[in-house]
Amino acid sequence: MPKPVAGHREIDHTADLGFEVWAPDLNTLHAASVRALAELCYDRAAVIPREERFLSVLGDSHEERLVRWLQAVYLLLESDMWLAEDVATIRCCGEEVRGRVRGEPYDPERHTLHTEIKAITYHDMRVECHDGEWETTVIVDV
Amino acid sequence: MAQHQQVQLERVSEFVWEIPRTGGMRVPGRIFASPQLMREIEKDKSPWQVANVAHLPGIVNASLAMPDIHWGYGFPIGGVAATDPLEGGVVSPGGVGYDINCGVRVLRTRLTHADVKNRIQHLIDALFATVPTGIGSSHAIKALSAHELKRLLVEGAEYVVRQRGLGSESDLMHTEEGGRLAGADPSVVSDLAIKRGRKQVGTLGSGNHFLEVGVADEIFLPEVAGQLGVELGTVCVLIHCGSRGFGYQVCDDYLSVMNRAVIKYGIELPDRQLCCAPVESPEGKSYLKAMACAANYAWANRQTITHLTRQTFMEVLGIGPSDLGMNLIYDVCHNIAKFEEHDVDGSPRRLCVHRKGATRAFPAGDRRIPESLRDIGQPVLVPGDMGRYSYVLIGAPGSLTQTFGSTCHGAGRMMSRKQAKRESKGRNLLAEMAERGVVVRAAGMRTVAEEMPYAYKDVSNVVDVMAGAGVSDKVFRLKPIGVIKG
């Protein structure tokens, strides 16, 4: 059986926004989640990955670590107006997720911003592995 | 993950449906709605969430829901729950929401539609340039030092009025709690929340937040409207926003604290998103202190935007403050937990009232509303959508007997954001709004697509339920003529 490919898709939610993510391993799931979040917040295709930022988060569970990882990526946007395009390196090890994200500072001439996010929520979130494929659903409060 | 179950709903009066106590429910659930709204409500998980809230330790009377109820994080949006601290009652961040003290204020002016209709594009352009909107919006005023921010967190709107000159004592008098919630303590707030808060005072954000210029196009209670300084054609301003990144971070920080507290205190919950702690526990007390900081941040935020709005109107129209006469009618929060005294079975009890997507609506005569409003009751501001109308209501006596002094807060969405975006493909949304007589400026067109009128229920159906139930009465309706959004 071929190894599952990582991916994501936006899902319907009445008041908020959300996406499903799937990947062959936990590291790739976290990387795919960054791409999904970026596409909700801005036009990711217009972001040139010419800089890197290091991020590290701790959490007691897969869910807590994923929420905090995505929050850390989002705070690059809110606090520094720095747009992540993808993940360069990532390692989920024990209670820590650490990695480097690629992207660049916001340029109003080239970048289109979409919606501000209040929070990455735990709503119905379960980071699980079924038959070798990791998957989760992320609902963001807007 | 919590299991979503169908709940039994029994119509017990013209506007009330009850969810009878079953299993671990400590009280029944009670939803205010019309048959038409109930058909919509039953389509999502919110009745199940009303039943879940009824499991909370110390909950009093009933888990309540207003007619604009829809799915929320743990608690439904549009939910009201009062807990008694003396009976082990809990406080839950999910009962307040991420955007602590998200709320609305409405300002009246001495202007009529005729005074602004030829300048509305210029006015909206100037407001859009002055009030920061959208992702990362910041620096409406100079970034505060950590020391200044901590003072603002304690003093709320008082800080920006008395220390920065961004408003008047009358503004404070017409703000719920005087714009300063007691008990705020910045020492229980994280450094990250402080960092996120320093640059964002005076900013709108995005999502469903907005600044709207509207005209009173229908008056239901002329005497009350007159006392509020409004007649047919009066130009008003609505400001809807909250505590920005500061409040979101406070909520996030305390969800982790409360998840641990649930285990520590052995609290059994049907949904872990209802995580909570006893009001009298160290965790509960800390959350309430931090939440008060965020509530105060939100009032300072709306007050600062009010100042920027007044300045902009005067500059664009070339008039002074007395000709403008932009006075605050009232400012209400619709995401909050507050201690209030309520009559329960004939005895006064001090309760922790959670309002998540619900608005306080005290009736005439209540000593907790300002003296200048006491003979008419507390104004309640209920935004609709940016194309149709919004309502100003007044609290009625039924609020104290049925809803712990609470009423609805908005229209509620009918269409998901994704579906609304699909609907907008190939359409010129700004031109469509202009055809309706509404000038729109927005930081992002995706937000405009998500917030188009067709994505929302008709708010008049919502306010009519609360009027029919004797909880709040309609005073006047506002038709938007210009909107800025994130």
Side-chain angles (χ1 to χ4, degrees):
Chain A
M1 191 175 166
K3 199 174 179 183
V5 184
H8 63 270
R9 70 178 183 97
E10 189 181 341
I11 56 171
D12 263 319
H13 186 276
T14 309
D16 293 308
L17 294 169
F19 51 85
E20 287 174 353
V21 194
W22 60 94
D25 58 69
L26 208 46
N27 292 342
T28 316
L29 188 83
H30 282 70
S33 299
V34 169
R35 294 191 287 274
L37 178 66
E39 286 171 17
L40 284 186
C41 297
Y42 44 83
D43 178 12
R44 186 172 75 90
V47 180
I48 300 166
R50 58 192 171 91
E51 293 179 6
E52 288 187 2
R53 294 280 182 102
F54 174 76
L55 298 173
S56 168
V57 298
L58 297 170
D60 293 335
S61 63
H62 287 315
E63 289 78 15
E64 194 168 67
R65 287 187 286 278
L66 179 60
V67 165
R68 289 182 177 173
W69 170 250
L70 291 175
Q71 279 171 340
V73 172
Y74 182 73
L75 283 177
L76 292 173
L77 173 62
E78 185 195 277
S79 299
D80 302 341
M81 293 308 284
W82 195 90
L83 284 58
E85 190 270 336
D86 206 341
V87 168
T89 61
I90 186 161
R91 186 157 182 243
C92 302
C93 184
E95 293 182 345
E96 186 184 22
V97 178
R98 55 162 53 207
R100 304 188 76 84
V101 290
R102 293 188 297 234
E104 63 174 337
Y106 171 62
D107 175 354
E109 298 295 317
R110 291 190 293 114
H111 298 137
T112 304
L113 301 177
H114 301 323
T115 304
E116 182 179 75
I117 282 172
K118 291 178 183 167
I120 314 293
T121 78
Y122 290 93
H123 177 74
D124 276 359
M125 178 188 276
R126 280 189 304 179
V127 177
E128 288 180 326
C129 185
H130 298 292
D131 301 324
E133 183 180 73
W134 286 83
E135 58 189 28
T136 194
T137 300
V138 179
I139 301 292
V140 298
D141 187 338
V142 294
Chain B
M1 186 171 77
Q3 294 303 306
H4 305 138
Q5 294 164 353
Q6 286 294 107
V7 297
Q8 188 189 343
L9 283 159
E10 294 174 4
R11 191 173 185 179
V12 294
S13 70
E14 189 177 357
F15 296 107
V16 181
W17 272 255
E18 189 154 295
I19 304 169
R21 274 183 68 182
T22 53
M25 289 171 69
R26 296 167 194 262
V27 291
R30 213 165 280 153
I31 301 175
F32 288 74
S34 62
Q36 179 201 352
L37 286 170
M38 186 51 84
R39 280 193 290 278
E40 290 295 320
I41 291 167
E42 283 184 291
K43 287 179 189 167
D44 79 2
K45 300 169 190 167
S46 49
W48 171 77
Q49 291 189 314
V50 175
N52 285 349
V53 171
H55 290 72
L56 290 178
I59 188 167
V60 175
N61 273 2
S63 163
L64 300 166
M66 305 297 107
D68 47 333
I69 178 181
H70 55 271
W71 174 89
Y73 182 90
F75 279 59
I77 313 289
V80 176
T83 59
D84 187 341
L86 297 179
E87 294 192 354
V90 294
V91 61
S92 172
V96 174
Y98 276 99
D99 196 0
I100 296 165
N101 190 3
C102 183
V104 194
R105 61 172 47 190
V106 64
L107 302 120
R108 52 76 82 171
T109 69
R110 288 213 174 91
L111 306 170
T112 65
H113 192 194
D115 296 323
V116 299
K117 69 178 178 190
N118 294 328
R119 308 297 304 277
I120 189 66
Q121 181 72 54
H122 188 189
L123 196 53
I124 292 300
D125 288 345
L127 286 166
F128 188 69
T130 307
V131 181
T133 62
I135 295 181
S137 50
S138 60
H139 294 101
I141 58 172
K142 188 169 167 268
L144 301 175
S145 68
H147 173 74
E148 289 168 329
L149 179 61
K150 285 177 183 174
R151 202 166 156 195
L152 177 148
L153 299 178
V154 173
E155 298 173 20
E158 275 184 19
Y159 176 80
V160 293
V161 168
R162 294 181 184 163
Q163 303 304 317
R164 300 295 186 105
L166 307 182
S168 67
E169 291 297 318
S170 173
D171 292 340
L172 299 177
M173 198 185 303
H174 292 91
T175 303
E176 191 170 334
E177 300 293 332
R180 175 181 182 158
L181 190 59
D185 179 358
S187 73
V188 298
V189 168
S190 70
D191 291 343
L192 184 53
I194 296 287
K195 182 186 172 198
R196 293 181 73 177
R198 285 181 52 196
K199 296 188 292 188
Q200 292 189 323
V201 176
T203 65
L204 266 186
S206 73
N208 62 355
H209 293 164
F210 62 81
L211 188 157
E212 181 176 299
V213 180
V215 175
D217 76 336
E218 194 168 358
I219 308 275
F220 305 96
L221 295 174
E223 271 189 35
V224 177
Q227 268 189 262
L228 299 176
V230 173
E231 55 190 46
L232 218 52
T234 297
V235 170
C236 294
V237 173
L238 279 164
I239 297 167
H240 177 212
C241 60
S243 48
R244 311 287 290 111
F246 179 84
Y248 316 156
Q249 191 62 46
V250 166
C251 179
D252 213 57
D253 292 338
Y254 277 91
L255 284 173
S256 301
V257 172
M258 295 302 187
N259 271 318
R260 292 192 292 273
V262 165
I263 298 164
K264 178 179 171 183
Y265 297 106
I267 300 170
E268 288 184 20
L269 297 169
D271 179 355
R272 66 179 179 166
Q273 295 170 98
L274 294 170
C275 62
C276 54
V279 169
E280 298 296 344
S281 68
E283 294 87 350
K285 286 178 179 173
S286 283
Y287 170 69
L288 285 163
K289 289 174 186 173
M291 186 211 70
C293 289
N296 290 338
Y297 187 100
W299 276 314
N301 191 34
R302 291 197 287 275
Q303 183 62 42
T304 304
I305 294 173
T306 298
H307 173 76
L308 298 172
T309 303
R310 285 176 173 142
Q311 297 292 109
T312 305
F313 266 73
M314 288 191 288
E315 280 169 28
V316 170
L317 301 175
I319 56 175
S322 58
D323 287 334
L324 175 62
M326 190 181 276
N327 296 340
L328 179 57
I329 290 179
Y330 208 64
D331 177 307
V332 287
C333 38
H334 51 228
N335 279 5
I336 198 83
K338 290 201 313 192
F339 292 108
E340 291 172 3
E341 192 177 286
H342 286 277
D343 186 275
V344 181
D345 299 329
S347 305
R349 280 159 75 175
R350 181 177 169 268
L351 305 175
C352 180
V353 182
H354 298 71
R355 295 191 182 97
K356 181 186 187 181
T359 312
R360 198 185 74 174
F362 287 163
D366 196 290
R367 61 182 166 73
R368 293 167 287 192
I369 55 180
E371 214 174 309
S372 60
L373 297 168
R374 209 166 288 163
D375 61 330
I376 55 173
Q378 181 215 303
V380 178
L381 324 164
V382 185
D385 59 72
M386 63 181 173
R388 277 179 281 196
Y389 30 66
S390 298
Y391 283 88
V392 173
L393 319 177
I394 207 90
S399 72
L400 291 183
T401 54
Q402 300 179 81
T403 59
F404 298 107
S406 315
T407 191
C408 54
H409 89 306
R413 290 190 73 89
M414 194 165 67
M415 200 180 274
S416 74
R417 290 178 180 276
K418 190 179 173 192
Q419 192 184 349
K421 279 182 283 191
R422 275 197 302 266
E423 285 287 323
S424 72
K425 285 210 172 114
R427 295 166 65 165
N428 185 338
L429 301 179
L430 296 185
E432 282 184 32
M433 292 303 296
E435 269 177 36
R436 285 172 174 258
V438 187
V439 174
V440 178
R441 285 295 309 268
M445 280 311 295
R446 193 175 282 194
T447 305
V448 176
E450 291 171 1
E451 295 288 319
M452 284 296 279
Y454 49 70
Y456 281 88
K457 296 175 196 166
D458 184 343
V459 70
S460 63
N461 295 331
V462 173
V463 297
D464 283 345
V465 167
M466 298 319 273
V471 171
S472 49
D473 294 319
K474 294 189 287 187
V475 180
F476 63 92
R477 194 177 78 168
L478 284 169
K479 159 92 177 70
I481 56 172
V483 181
I484 71 166
K485 294 193 67 70

